[in-house]
């Protein structure tokens, strides 16, 4: 095979043709080959066309993703926030003004501290509005002592028979 | 609103009044420990000794609250802290009738009721 006169055979075939082998012209062969390589004349079915999303649809999708993410990150206030919170605790109370009893009520709804009888201003001394000494006596002294915040009603010379 | 005002006013007139009967003499020197909160007041009186004969409390406002105390004394209270009628009796006999406005924490001293050794003092104090 190696020593066969291929060039001569080719020229002979080109000139005379062959009835046994359907040989095409080499130029026509290469032209057809190039055409197939370029895909212009391929008989294969072409792939489905690529679907391209419009720009506005991409923007809308991005916006929807951002909004959804933000909604998941922002904490939602609970209607039961008061119940869930720990109770307020009174650890110390100091009332500078004169007052009575201090009551505290701690519940789930809140803490109430009530100062009874709170006196923001000095109400002044006791007041003797009227008096009547039924027994014998010589005098009556009424004295308001500011230093001791007291009132003294003293009956002098009373005698009990 | 008016209900709250009425409630507040009633609280202002509510309280407990302590009543103490004290015997003041010159026989001994000293002040009963139960009178320590009014020692300064008693020291201003010209007696050497103050002994606590008895004590009680009255809920204010009072409605004919009667307290029987030592040595035949009886105390009757009527009214509120702002307008309190006080009657002091001895063996069923009225000695003193008075009407007073009492301030919280400020004692009212009614004194001069005689005994053989000294005087009887009544101490009223709204707590």
């Amino acid at each position: 095979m190696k020593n066969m006169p291929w060039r001569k055979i080719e020229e002979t075939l080109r000139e005379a043709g062959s009835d046994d082998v359907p040989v095409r012209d080499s130029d026509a062969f290469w032209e057809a080959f190039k055409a197939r390589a370029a895909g212009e004349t391929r008989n294969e079915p072409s792939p489905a066309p690529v679907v391209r999303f419009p720009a506005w649809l991409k923007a809308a999708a991005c916006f929807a993703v951002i909004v959804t993410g933000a909604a998941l990150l922002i904490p939602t206030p609970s209607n039961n926030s008061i119940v869930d919170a720990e109770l307020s605790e009174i650890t110390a109370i100091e009332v500078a003004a004169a007052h009575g009893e201090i009551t505290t009520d701690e519940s789930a709804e809140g803490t109430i501290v009530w100062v009874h009888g709170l006196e923001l201003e000095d109400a002044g001394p006791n007041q003797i509005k009227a008096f009547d000494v039924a027994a014998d006596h010589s005098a009556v002294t009424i004295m308001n002592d500011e230093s001791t915040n007291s009132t003294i009603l003293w009956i002098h010379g009373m005698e009990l028979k | 609103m008016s209900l709250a005002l009425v409630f507040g006013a009633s609280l202002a007139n509510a309280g407990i009044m302590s009543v103490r009967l004290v015997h003041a003499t010159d026989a001994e020197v000293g002040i009963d420990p139960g009178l320590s909160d009014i020692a300064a007041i008693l020291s201003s009186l010209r007696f050497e000794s103050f002994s606590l004969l008895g004590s009680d409390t009255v809920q204010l406002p009072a409605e004919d609250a009667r307290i029987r105390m030592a040595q035949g004394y009886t105390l009757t209270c009527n009214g509120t802290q702002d307008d309190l009628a006080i009657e002091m009796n001895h063996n069923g006999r009225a000695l003193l009738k008075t009407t007073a406005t009492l301030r919280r924490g400020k004692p009212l001293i009614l004194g001069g009721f005689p005994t053989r050794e000294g005087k009887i003092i009544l101490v009223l104090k709204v707590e």
Side-chain angles (χ1 to χ4, degrees):
Chain A
M1 291 287 289
K2 194 173 182 179
N3 296 321
M4 291 182 71
W6 291 109
R7 181 170 298 275
K8 189 176 180 178
I9 293 172
E10 181 182 0
E11 288 176 354
T12 301
L13 290 174
R14 183 178 300 169
E15 292 173 357
S18 173
D19 297 334
D20 300 330
V21 181
V23 178
R24 285 191 297 175
D25 180 73
S26 63
D27 294 334
F29 169 79
W30 286 114
E31 287 298 325
F33 179 81
K34 290 178 182 179
R36 285 198 299 271
E40 294 179 359
T41 60
R42 297 175 67 177
N43 294 325
E44 300 170 2
S46 62
V50 177
V51 178
R52 294 179 181 275
F53 293 101
W56 65 267
L57 187 56
K58 292 180 179 178
C62 290
F63 179 75
V65 169
I66 293 172
V67 170
T68 304
L72 292 175
L73 291 176
I74 296 174
T76 304
S78 171
N79 292 333
N80 296 327
S81 58
I82 296 178
V83 177
D84 296 339
E86 293 183 0
L87 296 180
S88 301
E89 184 179 1
I90 303 299
T91 55
I93 298 176
E94 180 179 352
V95 181
H99 62 89
E101 184 183 7
I102 298 177
T103 58
T104 59
D105 180 14
E106 297 179 0
S107 63
E109 286 74 20
T111 301
I112 298 174
V113 177
W114 193 270
V115 181
H116 298 272
L118 186 62
E119 296 179 2
L120 299 182
E121 296 180 357
D122 190 354
N126 299 321
Q127 181 182 3
I128 303 294
K129 295 181 177 179
F131 68 92
D132 178 26
V133 182
D136 292 340
H137 65 286
S138 60
V140 174
T141 300
I142 298 175
M143 180 179 64
N144 285 318
D145 186 356
E146 292 183 359
S147 63
T148 58
N149 278 327
S150 63
T151 301
I152 298 175
L153 188 156
W154 197 268
I155 303 171
H156 300 271
M158 177 178 275
E159 295 181 1
L160 297 180
K161 297 179 180 177
Chain B
M1 184 65 177
S2 58
L3 183 62
L5 290 175
V6 170
F7 181 68
S10 63
L11 278 179
N13 279 314
I16 296 178
M17 181 177 68
S18 66
V19 179
R20 284 175 284 186
L21 195 70
V22 179
H23 192 201
T25 67
D26 292 324
E28 300 174 359
V29 177
I31 297 178
D32 192 291
L35 302 171
S36 58
D37 61 313
I38 54 172
I41 304 171
L42 298 178
S43 297
S44 66
L45 303 176
R46 56 169 187 84
F47 295 97
E48 300 294 335
S49 172
F50 299 91
S51 57
L52 181 62
L53 299 181
S55 64
D56 208 331
T57 58
V58 175
Q59 179 72 47
L60 298 180
E63 185 174 351
D64 199 24
R66 185 165 300 178
I67 300 175
R68 297 185 184 278
M69 310 197 80
Q71 298 199 4
Y73 284 93
T74 302
L75 181 71
T76 304
C77 298
N78 266 303
T80 66
Q81 180 182 335
D82 289 336
D83 191 28
L84 186 63
I86 304 164
E87 183 175 326
M88 186 79 163
N89 287 272
H90 181 255
N91 293 332
R93 176 189 176 192
L95 296 181
L96 171 67
K97 295 179 182 178
T98 183
T99 303
T101 298
L102 298 185
R103 307 299 185 193
R104 193 180 298 273
K106 297 183 176 181
L108 171 62
I109 312 294
L110 303 177
F113 307 103
T115 66
R116 282 184 294 182
E117 299 86 8
K119 299 290 184 183
I120 290 293
I121 299 171
L122 185 70
V123 182
L124 307 176
K125 185 179 178 183
V126 178
E127 305 293 350

